[in-house]
Amino acid sequence: MEAYIYDAIRTVRGKGNRKGALVGITPVELATQVLVELREKHELDTTQVEDVILGCVGQVMDQGANIAKTAAQHSGYGDHLCGVSLNRFCGSGLESINQAAAYVRAGFRNLLVAGGVESMSRVKMGSDGGGMFMDPAVAIPGRIVPQGISADLIASKYGYSRQEVDEYAYESQMRASRADAEGRFVSRIPVKDINGIPVLETDENIRPNTTLEALAELKPSFAMMGAMAGYDEVAIDRYPEVEEIEHVHHAGNSSAIVDGAAIALVGNKQAGEALGLKPRFRILAAAIHGTDPTMMLVGPAPASRKALKQAGMQKEDIDLFEVNEAFAAVPLRFMQDMGVPFDKVNVNGGAIAMGHPLGATGCMLTSTLMDELERRDLNTGLVTLCIGGGMGIATIIERV
């Protein structure tokens, strides 16, 4: 049985700090607003929606107590609607779509909402703790390092200079600025307050005035951490061919911390026909792949190869790629490893420009990819993200 995406929408992204425009909007409200938009846009008979799967990484405080079911209840879809929250770190928003597709293809569900939410201004990254990063008995023998150290390790091993990562970051900002100005993010919605008045109508972190000169002035974010906490030594011990860690990543060439939510409506053909909905895309393949936790951010390429093999496709069969820009070195490594040209990757910018609301990003990338494939009258796309702890995830979609 085929699994289709009938629609995918996302909120604008607000800066994830006390000065961000969305700090006053709870994550439950962020998720609820995309649910309500989906219902109103399609005059959706919500009694036919069986489940809500939401990715959310920091499942504590405002994001605790199964935020998926909380948002489902708050949305007015009906008491029948169930919800489950999942955490595959940065891949959570895409994992939710993949799990929804698996339910549909197995015949266990007919119609689901899948996506993610993260309010990083209200629930700080790392608020949920965890043995992987907090317990020396786990981290030391596992040679687990912070993600920023891993990104700098990738740059050092594969020779990406400070200038190269800054040039990539600059291009991300320019592409996002053009896309924003030209109205390419057609599935993006504003976030409103309790009176229905928009509080943010564009992605708050896009900086069209970015220059390479300004990026060059920013100090590396992870040099002190690497030296004083000994993480550089851990990385070099695992990769002795790297004589020295070159710390090239900083706030300007790493993903921005933001708030936001996104959802996709996933179902089988019969569910769509019953509701008068036309599918936009078919989900062809979904794959995950593990990597070592020291160089934990190189999972997108092997995960993508698995997905391509599953679909019986070659990389040349993919029209556009969305690769999450956790750090500039991640898409640079993906393009080099896969032999994919930059003009097919993140054509409307990425998380360096617009931000990475952890649990929602995978679904946001899917929405962006769908919009752009339709705009260009193309057919196939691949979404992939690196994931903390050493994982990668990839999904291939095809236009219907």
Side-chain angles (χ1 to χ4, degrees):
M1 185 178 296
E2 299 281 7
Y4 297 94
I5 302 177
Y6 285 93
D7 204 0
I9 59 177
R10 70 167 178 93
T11 66
V12 293
R13 288 174 260 202
K15 292 182 179 180
N17 55 48
R18 293 183 180 274
K19 296 182 180 179
L22 301 184
V23 67
I25 310 296
T26 68
V28 170
E29 183 60 29
L30 287 174
T32 298
Q33 289 196 23
V34 285
L35 283 164
V36 171
E37 173 68 19
L38 181 70
R39 180 185 65 207
E40 294 181 351
K41 180 179 178 181
H42 297 285
E43 298 181 350
L44 186 64
D45 178 2
T46 59
T47 64
Q48 302 305 303
V49 182
E50 301 166 80
D51 206 355
V52 175
I53 305 175
L54 288 184
C56 184
V57 175
Q59 294 186 35
V60 294
M61 298 180 288
D62 285 352
Q63 296 177 166
N66 190 358
I67 191 170
K69 174 55 181 173
T70 307
Q73 196 73 42
H74 192 52
S75 69
Y77 272 46
D79 293 343
H80 74 285
L81 187 56
C82 296
V84 61
S85 305
L86 62 83
N87 180 9
R88 197 188 285 281
F89 292 158
C90 301
S92 300
L94 189 58
E95 176 67 22
S96 67
I97 293 175
N98 294 347
Q99 288 198 17
Y103 274 124
V104 170
R105 295 181 70 164
F108 293 160
R109 305 277 194 280
N110 295 311
L111 190 67
L112 310 88
V113 168
V117 62
E118 206 83 31
S119 176
M120 302 181 77
S121 64
R122 299 174 72 97
V123 182
K124 302 300 181 185
M125 186 162 49
S127 294
D128 55 341
M132 180 182 293
F133 306 110
M134 308 296 290
D135 186 351
V138 175
I140 292 174
R143 293 171 175 168
I144 300 170
V145 299
Q147 290 190 24
I149 302 296
S150 178
D152 286 338
L153 171 62
I154 293 169
S156 302
K157 179 173 172 60
Y158 295 105
Y160 306 137
S161 67
R162 169 65 184 263
Q163 182 177 345
E164 285 179 284
V165 292
D166 280 356
E167 287 175 348
Y168 182 91
Y170 172 79
E171 184 61 21
S172 179
Q173 288 285 355
M174 295 305 102
R175 290 182 177 191
S177 298
R178 287 193 297 269
D180 187 38
E182 295 173 7
R184 296 186 190 180
F185 302 125
V186 297
S187 296
R188 181 181 68 181
I189 66 169
V191 173
K192 302 176 181 178
D193 64 16
I194 59 173
N195 298 309
I197 299 172
V199 296
L200 185 64
E201 298 183 272
T202 190
D203 294 303
E204 192 175 18
N205 197 72
I206 296 176
R207 299 185 293 274
N209 296 324
T210 297
T211 65
L212 286 170
E213 291 74 18
L215 290 172
E217 292 178 0
L218 297 175
K219 293 182 179 180
S221 296
F222 309 104
M224 185 176 295
M225 176 192 297
M228 297 187 67
Y231 290 122
D232 283 359
E233 293 181 9
V234 174
I236 292 170
D237 181 64
R238 178 65 178 81
Y239 291 90
E241 67 272 24
V242 178
E243 295 184 0
E244 181 181 359
I245 303 298
E246 297 289 338
H247 291 285
V248 298
H249 288 94
H250 52 74
N253 59 32
S254 306
S255 57
I257 293 172
V258 295
D259 305 335
I263 57 170
L265 185 63
V266 180
N268 59 29
K269 184 178 180 180
Q270 293 75 17
E273 289 177 345
L275 293 169
L277 298 173
K278 181 180 179 181
R280 292 175 62 188
F281 284 82
R282 178 187 296 108
I283 299 172
L284 294 183
I288 54 173
H289 185 86
T291 70
D292 80 77
T294 311
M295 191 177 289
M296 67 176 74
L297 307 175
V298 292
S304 296
R305 291 193 184 96
K306 278 187 177 181
L308 288 166
K309 183 178 180 180
Q310 189 183 116
M313 302 172 72
Q314 304 295 321
K315 64 183 181 183
E316 292 80 11
D317 298 322
I318 303 298
D319 293 317
L320 294 176
F321 297 81
E322 283 289 329
V323 183
N324 188 38
E325 297 173 354
F327 301 88
V330 173
L332 287 173
R333 180 58 192 150
F334 175 85
M335 289 186 287
Q336 183 181 38
D337 196 356
M338 293 289 292
V340 174
F342 193 18
D343 61 6
K344 295 177 69 172
V345 175
N346 298 354
V347 295
N348 289 327
I352 289 173
M354 292 177 283
H356 175 23
L358 305 177
T361 304
C363 187
M364 288 189 166
L365 296 181
T366 304
S367 171
T368 297
L369 181 61
M370 290 167 60
D371 288 346
E372 189 62 16
L373 286 168
E374 290 173 341
R375 191 183 77 85
R376 296 188 181 206
D377 195 22
L378 298 175
N379 294 311
T380 57
L382 185 150
V383 181
T384 184
L385 299 93
C386 62
I387 304 174
M391 294 181 280
I393 187 169
T395 301
I396 298 173
I397 60 174
E398 180 184 54
R399 192 172 166 199
V400 177

